[in-house]
Amino acid sequence: MISELFSPSVQHTLDIVGIFVFAISGALAAVRKNYDVFGMAVLAEVTALGGGIFRDLMIGAVPPAAFSDLGYFSTPLFATVLVFFLHPEVERINTTVNVFDAAGLGLFCVAGTVKAHDYGLGLVPSAALGLATAAGGGVLRDLLANEVPSLLRWDRDLYAVPAMVGSIMAALLIKFDALTGFTSGAAVVSAFVLRLCAMYFGWRAPRAWHRRSRATSEEEAQQAM
């Protein structure tokens, strides 16, 4: 289990760090949309906790951890305050924020898969909920910001795929009774490194073969000007 990798206190700290970084991205998205402080808080909370809440509701782990642990709920509020006053400075370290976001992605996709399986789900649904844990908050953030979710846009670096890799690895480790602290860590690191490579090299998922659509991405439109 993922809990074997770290002590409960360290695991809780890692969760808080991951939630904080996800919340930063949500609050920054609100700033770019010119939302007020309440809108910033909503996007921060949704981005940081939405995937975990969805998972917990699906597996019957109620109340969700986001509401039973004050630290989980209050961390996005702290991130909102930070971004409210210091958003220009936070924007300047956006690359660093993205690295921590990638680490949170790796941790949450594996932890979500394992928790779902612990509650009696099969391997495939567990992996799906692992993906939802890691990426679901970002989807809700984009929908609330009136944007097409990044996971559905080809002109965004791979995000869901690294989470899928980590979730599938965790599910396979469970299937073959090989889930240990070391192998769980390997799954986390695999998703993390794949996400970093996608950011660095600009990896994207392929579009339809021999695509004939006239629709262009923002990048293609700019190149055509």
Side-chain angles (χ1 to χ4, degrees), residues 139-189:
V139 172
L140 294 175
R141 174 201 64 212
D142 292 343
L143 291 175
L144 288 176
N146 197 30
E147 294 184 355
V148 176
S150 296
L151 268 66
L152 304 181
R153 298 182 57 171
W154 84 272
D155 58 336
R156 294 291 188 269
D157 299 336
L158 294 178
Y159 194 86
V161 171
M164 289 174 59
V165 169
S167 299
I168 292 171
M169 286 182 65
L172 290 175
L173 290 170
I174 294 171
K175 176 179 176 60
F176 294 105
D177 197 25
L179 189 70
T180 65
F182 177 79
T183 57
S184 298
V188 171
V189 171

Short mmCIF file of all heavy atoms in Angstrom, two decimals, residues 139-189:
data_model
loop_
_atom_site.label_atom_id
_atom_site.label_comp_id
_atom_site.label_asym_id
_atom_site.label_seq_id
_atom_site.Cartn_x
_atom_site.Cartn_y
_atom_site.Cartn_z
N VAL A 139 -9.85 19.50 -14.30
CA VAL A 139 -10.99 19.52 -15.23
C VAL A 139 -12.09 20.44 -14.69
O VAL A 139 -12.64 21.28 -15.42
CB VAL A 139 -11.54 18.10 -15.44
CG1 VAL A 139 -12.83 18.14 -16.24
CG2 VAL A 139 -10.51 17.23 -16.16
N LEU A 140 -12.41 20.30 -13.40
CA LEU A 140 -13.43 21.16 -12.79
C LEU A 140 -13.00 22.63 -12.82
O LEU A 140 -13.83 23.51 -13.07
CB LEU A 140 -13.68 20.72 -11.35
CG LEU A 140 -14.31 19.34 -11.17
CD1 LEU A 140 -14.39 18.98 -9.69
CD2 LEU A 140 -15.71 19.31 -11.79
N ARG A 141 -11.74 22.89 -12.58
CA ARG A 141 -11.22 24.26 -12.66
C ARG A 141 -11.47 24.87 -14.04
O ARG A 141 -11.97 25.99 -14.15
CB ARG A 141 -9.72 24.26 -12.36
CG ARG A 141 -9.02 25.60 -12.55
CD ARG A 141 -7.53 25.41 -12.74
NE ARG A 141 -7.25 24.66 -13.96
CZ ARG A 141 -6.22 23.83 -14.12
NH1 ARG A 141 -5.36 23.64 -13.14
NH2 ARG A 141 -6.04 23.18 -15.27
N ASP A 142 -11.13 24.12 -15.08
CA ASP A 142 -11.28 24.64 -16.44
C ASP A 142 -12.75 24.86 -16.78
O ASP A 142 -13.09 25.85 -17.45
CB ASP A 142 -10.64 23.68 -17.44
CG ASP A 142 -9.13 23.64 -17.32
OD1 ASP A 142 -8.55 24.57 -16.71
OD2 ASP A 142 -8.52 22.68 -17.81
N LEU A 143 -13.62 23.96 -16.35
CA LEU A 143 -15.04 24.11 -16.63
C LEU A 143 -15.60 25.35 -15.94
O LEU A 143 -16.38 26.11 -16.54
CB LEU A 143 -15.80 22.86 -16.18
CG LEU A 143 -15.54 21.59 -16.98
CD1 LEU A 143 -16.27 20.40 -16.35
CD2 LEU A 143 -15.97 21.77 -18.43
N LEU A 144 -15.21 25.57 -14.68
CA LEU A 144 -15.68 26.75 -13.96
C LEU A 144 -15.11 28.02 -14.56
O LEU A 144 -15.72 29.09 -14.46
CB LEU A 144 -15.31 26.65 -12.49
CG LEU A 144 -16.09 25.63 -11.66
CD1 LEU A 144 -15.54 25.57 -10.24
CD2 LEU A 144 -17.58 25.99 -11.63
N ALA A 145 -13.93 27.92 -15.17
CA ALA A 145 -13.31 29.08 -15.82
C ALA A 145 -13.80 29.24 -17.25
O ALA A 145 -13.28 30.08 -18.00
CB ALA A 145 -11.79 28.94 -15.81
N ASN A 146 -14.78 28.45 -17.65
CA ASN A 146 -15.39 28.53 -18.98
C ASN A 146 -14.37 28.26 -20.08
O ASN A 146 -14.34 28.95 -21.10
CB ASN A 146 -16.05 29.89 -19.20
CG ASN A 146 -17.02 29.89 -20.37
OD1 ASN A 146 -17.63 28.87 -20.68
ND2 ASN A 146 -17.16 31.03 -21.03
N GLU A 147 -13.53 27.24 -19.85
CA GLU A 147 -12.55 26.83 -20.83
C GLU A 147 -12.70 25.35 -21.14
O GLU A 147 -13.20 24.58 -20.32
CB GLU A 147 -11.13 27.10 -20.31
CG GLU A 147 -10.78 28.56 -20.13
CD GLU A 147 -9.34 28.75 -19.70
OE1 GLU A 147 -8.66 27.73 -19.46
OE2 GLU A 147 -8.91 29.91 -19.60
N VAL A 148 -12.24 24.96 -22.33
CA VAL A 148 -12.18 23.54 -22.65
C VAL A 148 -11.12 22.91 -21.73
O VAL A 148 -10.00 23.42 -21.64
CB VAL A 148 -11.78 23.31 -24.12
CG1 VAL A 148 -11.62 21.82 -24.41
CG2 VAL A 148 -12.81 23.94 -25.04
N PRO A 149 -11.46 21.84 -21.01
CA PRO A 149 -10.47 21.23 -20.11
C PRO A 149 -9.17 20.92 -20.83
O PRO A 149 -9.16 20.43 -21.96
CB PRO A 149 -11.18 19.94 -19.64
CG PRO A 149 -12.63 20.28 -19.73
CD PRO A 149 -12.76 21.16 -20.94
N SER A 150 -8.06 21.22 -20.15
CA SER A 150 -6.74 21.00 -20.75
C SER A 150 -6.55 19.56 -21.18
O SER A 150 -5.83 19.27 -22.14
CB SER A 150 -5.65 21.42 -19.76
OG SER A 150 -5.72 22.80 -19.49
N LEU A 151 -7.18 18.62 -20.45
CA LEU A 151 -7.03 17.20 -20.77
C LEU A 151 -7.58 16.87 -22.15
O LEU A 151 -7.21 15.85 -22.74
CB LEU A 151 -7.74 16.33 -19.73
CG LEU A 151 -6.90 15.87 -18.54
CD1 LEU A 151 -6.47 17.06 -17.69
CD2 LEU A 151 -7.68 14.87 -17.69
N LEU A 152 -8.47 17.71 -22.67
CA LEU A 152 -9.10 17.43 -23.95
C LEU A 152 -8.47 18.22 -25.10
O LEU A 152 -8.90 18.07 -26.25
CB LEU A 152 -10.60 17.77 -23.88
CG LEU A 152 -11.40 17.07 -22.79
CD1 LEU A 152 -12.87 17.49 -22.86
CD2 LEU A 152 -11.27 15.55 -22.90
N ARG A 153 -7.47 19.01 -24.80
CA ARG A 153 -6.86 19.85 -25.83
C ARG A 153 -5.53 19.27 -26.27
O ARG A 153 -4.66 18.99 -25.46
CB ARG A 153 -6.66 21.27 -25.29
CG ARG A 153 -7.96 21.96 -24.91
CD ARG A 153 -7.72 23.38 -24.43
NE ARG A 153 -7.03 24.19 -25.43
CZ ARG A 153 -6.87 25.49 -25.31
NH1 ARG A 153 -7.34 26.13 -24.26
NH2 ARG A 153 -6.22 26.17 -26.25
N TRP A 154 -5.38 19.13 -27.59
CA TRP A 154 -4.15 18.54 -28.11
C TRP A 154 -2.96 19.47 -27.96
O TRP A 154 -1.80 19.03 -27.92
CB TRP A 154 -4.32 18.16 -29.59
CG TRP A 154 -4.07 19.31 -30.51
CD1 TRP A 154 -4.97 20.23 -30.94
CD2 TRP A 154 -2.82 19.68 -31.08
NE1 TRP A 154 -4.38 21.16 -31.75
CE2 TRP A 154 -3.04 20.84 -31.86
CE3 TRP A 154 -1.54 19.15 -31.04
CZ2 TRP A 154 -2.04 21.48 -32.58
CZ3 TRP A 154 -0.52 19.79 -31.75
CH2 TRP A 154 -0.78 20.93 -32.51
N ASP A 155 -3.22 20.80 -27.87
CA ASP A 155 -2.13 21.76 -27.81
C ASP A 155 -1.63 21.99 -26.39
O ASP A 155 -1.03 23.02 -26.09
CB ASP A 155 -2.55 23.09 -28.45
CG ASP A 155 -3.77 23.71 -27.78
OD1 ASP A 155 -4.54 22.96 -27.16
OD2 ASP A 155 -3.95 24.94 -27.88
N ARG A 156 -1.86 21.05 -25.50
CA ARG A 156 -1.33 21.10 -24.15
C ARG A 156 -0.41 19.90 -23.94
O ARG A 156 -0.67 18.81 -24.45
CB ARG A 156 -2.45 21.07 -23.12
CG ARG A 156 -3.35 22.30 -23.14
CD ARG A 156 -2.60 23.53 -22.64
NE ARG A 156 -3.48 24.67 -22.48
CZ ARG A 156 -3.72 25.57 -23.42
NH1 ARG A 156 -3.14 25.45 -24.61
NH2 ARG A 156 -4.52 26.60 -23.19
N ASP A 157 0.67 20.10 -23.20
CA ASP A 157 1.58 19.00 -22.92
C ASP A 157 0.85 17.89 -22.18
O ASP A 157 -0.10 18.13 -21.43
CB ASP A 157 2.76 19.50 -22.06
CG ASP A 157 3.56 20.58 -22.76
OD1 ASP A 157 3.52 20.63 -24.01
OD2 ASP A 157 4.22 21.37 -22.06
N LEU A 158 1.32 16.66 -22.41
CA LEU A 158 0.67 15.50 -21.79
C LEU A 158 0.51 15.69 -20.28
O LEU A 158 1.45 16.00 -19.57
CB LEU A 158 1.51 14.24 -22.04
CG LEU A 158 1.64 13.77 -23.48
CD1 LEU A 158 2.54 12.53 -23.53
CD2 LEU A 158 0.28 13.47 -24.08
N TYR A 159 -0.71 15.49 -19.81
CA TYR A 159 -1.00 15.58 -18.37
C TYR A 159 -1.74 14.34 -17.90
O TYR A 159 -1.34 13.69 -16.94
CB TYR A 159 -1.83 16.83 -18.09
CG TYR A 159 -1.90 17.19 -16.62
CD1 TYR A 159 -0.90 17.97 -16.04
CD2 TYR A 159 -2.94 16.76 -15.81
CE1 TYR A 159 -0.94 18.32 -14.70
CE2 TYR A 159 -3.00 17.10 -14.46
CZ TYR A 159 -2.00 17.88 -13.91
OH TYR A 159 -2.04 18.21 -12.57
N ALA A 160 -2.82 14.00 -18.61
CA ALA A 160 -3.58 12.82 -18.21
C ALA A 160 -2.78 11.54 -18.44
O ALA A 160 -2.87 10.60 -17.65
CB ALA A 160 -4.90 12.76 -18.98
N VAL A 161 -1.99 11.50 -19.51
CA VAL A 161 -1.24 10.28 -19.82
C VAL A 161 -0.27 9.89 -18.71
O VAL A 161 -0.23 8.73 -18.30
CB VAL A 161 -0.50 10.41 -21.17
CG1 VAL A 161 0.45 9.24 -21.39
CG2 VAL A 161 -1.50 10.50 -22.31
N PRO A 162 0.53 10.82 -18.16
CA PRO A 162 1.38 10.44 -17.03
C PRO A 162 0.58 9.91 -15.84
O PRO A 162 1.00 8.95 -15.18
CB PRO A 162 2.10 11.74 -16.68
CG PRO A 162 2.13 12.50 -17.94
CD PRO A 162 0.83 12.20 -18.61
N ALA A 163 -0.57 10.54 -15.57
CA ALA A 163 -1.41 10.05 -14.48
C ALA A 163 -1.95 8.66 -14.78
O ALA A 163 -2.05 7.80 -13.88
CB ALA A 163 -2.56 11.03 -14.22
N MET A 164 -2.31 8.41 -16.03
CA MET A 164 -2.78 7.09 -16.42
C MET A 164 -1.68 6.05 -16.24
O MET A 164 -1.93 4.94 -15.75
CB MET A 164 -3.24 7.10 -17.88
CG MET A 164 -4.52 7.86 -18.13
SD MET A 164 -4.91 7.98 -19.90
CE MET A 164 -5.01 6.25 -20.35
N VAL A 165 -0.45 6.41 -16.61
CA VAL A 165 0.67 5.49 -16.46
C VAL A 165 0.87 5.12 -14.99
O VAL A 165 1.01 3.94 -14.63
CB VAL A 165 1.96 6.10 -17.05
CG1 VAL A 165 3.18 5.26 -16.66
CG2 VAL A 165 1.86 6.19 -18.56
N GLY A 166 0.86 6.13 -14.12
CA GLY A 166 1.02 5.85 -12.70
C GLY A 166 -0.10 5.01 -12.14
O GLY A 166 0.13 4.07 -11.36
N SER A 167 -1.34 5.30 -12.55
CA SER A 167 -2.49 4.54 -12.07
C SER A 167 -2.45 3.09 -12.55
O SER A 167 -2.72 2.15 -11.80
CB SER A 167 -3.79 5.21 -12.54
OG SER A 167 -3.90 6.52 -12.02
N ILE A 168 -2.12 2.90 -13.82
CA ILE A 168 -2.05 1.55 -14.38
C ILE A 168 -0.93 0.75 -13.73
O ILE A 168 -1.10 -0.44 -13.43
CB ILE A 168 -1.88 1.61 -15.91
CG1 ILE A 168 -3.16 2.17 -16.55
CG2 ILE A 168 -1.56 0.24 -16.48
CD1 ILE A 168 -3.01 2.47 -18.03
N MET A 169 0.21 1.40 -13.51
CA MET A 169 1.30 0.71 -12.83
C MET A 169 0.87 0.26 -11.44
O MET A 169 1.15 -0.88 -11.03
CB MET A 169 2.53 1.62 -12.74
CG MET A 169 3.27 1.83 -14.04
SD MET A 169 4.75 2.88 -13.84
CE MET A 169 5.76 1.83 -12.77
N ALA A 170 0.19 1.13 -10.72
CA ALA A 170 -0.28 0.76 -9.37
C ALA A 170 -1.27 -0.41 -9.44
O ALA A 170 -1.20 -1.34 -8.64
CB ALA A 170 -0.93 1.96 -8.70
N ALA A 171 -2.18 -0.37 -10.42
CA ALA A 171 -3.16 -1.46 -10.57
C ALA A 171 -2.47 -2.78 -10.90
O ALA A 171 -2.84 -3.84 -10.37
CB ALA A 171 -4.18 -1.09 -11.65
N LEU A 172 -1.47 -2.74 -11.78
CA LEU A 172 -0.74 -3.97 -12.13
C LEU A 172 0.05 -4.50 -10.93
O LEU A 172 0.13 -5.72 -10.72
CB LEU A 172 0.20 -3.69 -13.30
CG LEU A 172 -0.48 -3.44 -14.65
CD1 LEU A 172 0.56 -3.05 -15.70
CD2 LEU A 172 -1.27 -4.66 -15.10
N LEU A 173 0.60 -3.60 -10.14
CA LEU A 173 1.33 -4.04 -8.95
C LEU A 173 0.38 -4.73 -7.97
O LEU A 173 0.74 -5.73 -7.33
CB LEU A 173 2.00 -2.84 -8.28
CG LEU A 173 3.18 -2.22 -9.04
CD1 LEU A 173 3.61 -0.91 -8.40
CD2 LEU A 173 4.36 -3.20 -9.08
N ILE A 174 -0.82 -4.19 -7.85
CA ILE A 174 -1.82 -4.84 -6.99
C ILE A 174 -2.18 -6.21 -7.55
O ILE A 174 -2.27 -7.20 -6.81
CB ILE A 174 -3.08 -3.95 -6.88
CG1 ILE A 174 -2.75 -2.65 -6.13
CG2 ILE A 174 -4.20 -4.70 -6.17
CD1 ILE A 174 -3.86 -1.62 -6.17
N LYS A 175 -2.40 -6.29 -8.86
CA LYS A 175 -2.80 -7.55 -9.49
C LYS A 175 -1.79 -8.65 -9.25
O LYS A 175 -2.17 -9.80 -8.96
CB LYS A 175 -2.98 -7.33 -11.00
CG LYS A 175 -3.31 -8.61 -11.78
CD LYS A 175 -3.50 -8.31 -13.25
CE LYS A 175 -3.73 -9.59 -14.05
NZ LYS A 175 -4.92 -10.33 -13.61
N PHE A 176 -0.52 -8.32 -9.34
CA PHE A 176 0.52 -9.33 -9.19
C PHE A 176 1.09 -9.38 -7.76
O PHE A 176 2.14 -9.95 -7.53
CB PHE A 176 1.64 -9.07 -10.19
CG PHE A 176 1.22 -9.25 -11.62
CD1 PHE A 176 1.01 -8.15 -12.44
CD2 PHE A 176 1.00 -10.52 -12.14
CE1 PHE A 176 0.61 -8.32 -13.76
CE2 PHE A 176 0.60 -10.70 -13.46
CZ PHE A 176 0.40 -9.60 -14.28
N ASP A 177 0.33 -8.77 -6.84
CA ASP A 177 0.71 -8.80 -5.42
C ASP A 177 2.14 -8.32 -5.22
O ASP A 177 2.91 -8.89 -4.45
CB ASP A 177 0.54 -10.22 -4.86
CG ASP A 177 0.52 -10.24 -3.35
OD1 ASP A 177 0.16 -9.21 -2.74
OD2 ASP A 177 0.88 -11.28 -2.75
N ALA A 178 2.49 -7.25 -5.91
CA ALA A 178 3.85 -6.72 -5.86
C ALA A 178 3.88 -5.28 -5.35
O ALA A 178 4.88 -4.60 -5.50
CB ALA A 178 4.49 -6.79 -7.25
N LEU A 179 2.78 -4.84 -4.76
CA LEU A 179 2.71 -3.46 -4.29
C LEU A 179 3.42 -3.33 -2.95
O LEU A 179 2.94 -3.81 -1.93
CB LEU A 179 1.25 -3.01 -4.16
CG LEU A 179 1.05 -1.53 -3.88
CD1 LEU A 179 1.41 -0.70 -5.10
CD2 LEU A 179 -0.39 -1.24 -3.46
N THR A 180 4.56 -2.70 -2.96
CA THR A 180 5.34 -2.44 -1.76
C THR A 180 5.68 -0.96 -1.71
O THR A 180 5.34 -0.20 -2.62
CB THR A 180 6.64 -3.26 -1.75
OG1 THR A 180 7.47 -2.81 -2.84
CG2 THR A 180 6.35 -4.75 -1.92
N GLY A 181 6.34 -0.56 -0.64
CA GLY A 181 6.76 0.82 -0.56
C GLY A 181 7.65 1.20 -1.73
O GLY A 181 7.50 2.28 -2.32
N PHE A 182 8.58 0.31 -2.08
CA PHE A 182 9.51 0.61 -3.17
C PHE A 182 8.79 0.68 -4.51
O PHE A 182 9.00 1.62 -5.30
CB PHE A 182 10.61 -0.44 -3.22
CG PHE A 182 11.58 -0.25 -4.35
CD1 PHE A 182 12.60 0.68 -4.26
CD2 PHE A 182 11.47 -1.01 -5.51
CE1 PHE A 182 13.49 0.88 -5.32
CE2 PHE A 182 12.36 -0.84 -6.56
CZ PHE A 182 13.37 0.11 -6.46
N THR A 183 7.94 -0.31 -4.80
CA THR A 183 7.27 -0.33 -6.11
C THR A 183 6.24 0.80 -6.22
O THR A 183 6.04 1.36 -7.31
CB THR A 183 6.60 -1.68 -6.36
OG1 THR A 183 5.67 -1.97 -5.30
CG2 THR A 183 7.63 -2.79 -6.44
N SER A 184 5.59 1.15 -5.11
CA SER A 184 4.68 2.29 -5.13
C SER A 184 5.44 3.56 -5.47
O SER A 184 4.98 4.38 -6.28
CB SER A 184 3.99 2.45 -3.76
OG SER A 184 3.21 1.33 -3.43
N GLY A 185 6.60 3.70 -4.85
CA GLY A 185 7.43 4.86 -5.15
C GLY A 185 7.85 4.90 -6.60
O GLY A 185 7.92 5.97 -7.22
N ALA A 186 8.14 3.72 -7.17
CA ALA A 186 8.53 3.65 -8.58
C ALA A 186 7.39 4.13 -9.48
O ALA A 186 7.62 4.82 -10.49
CB ALA A 186 8.95 2.23 -8.95
N ALA A 187 6.15 3.77 -9.13
CA ALA A 187 5.01 4.21 -9.93
C ALA A 187 4.83 5.72 -9.83
O ALA A 187 4.55 6.40 -10.82
CB ALA A 187 3.74 3.49 -9.45
N VAL A 188 5.00 6.26 -8.62
CA VAL A 188 4.90 7.70 -8.43
C VAL A 188 5.97 8.43 -9.25
O VAL A 188 5.68 9.40 -9.97
CB VAL A 188 5.05 8.06 -6.94
CG1 VAL A 188 5.18 9.57 -6.76
CG2 VAL A 188 3.88 7.53 -6.12
N VAL A 189 7.20 7.95 -9.16
CA VAL A 189 8.30 8.59 -9.87
C VAL A 189 8.11 8.47 -11.38
O VAL A 189 8.43 9.41 -12.13
CB VAL A 189 9.64 7.96 -9.44
CG1 VAL A 189 10.78 8.45 -10.33
CG2 VAL A 189 9.94 8.30 -7.98
#
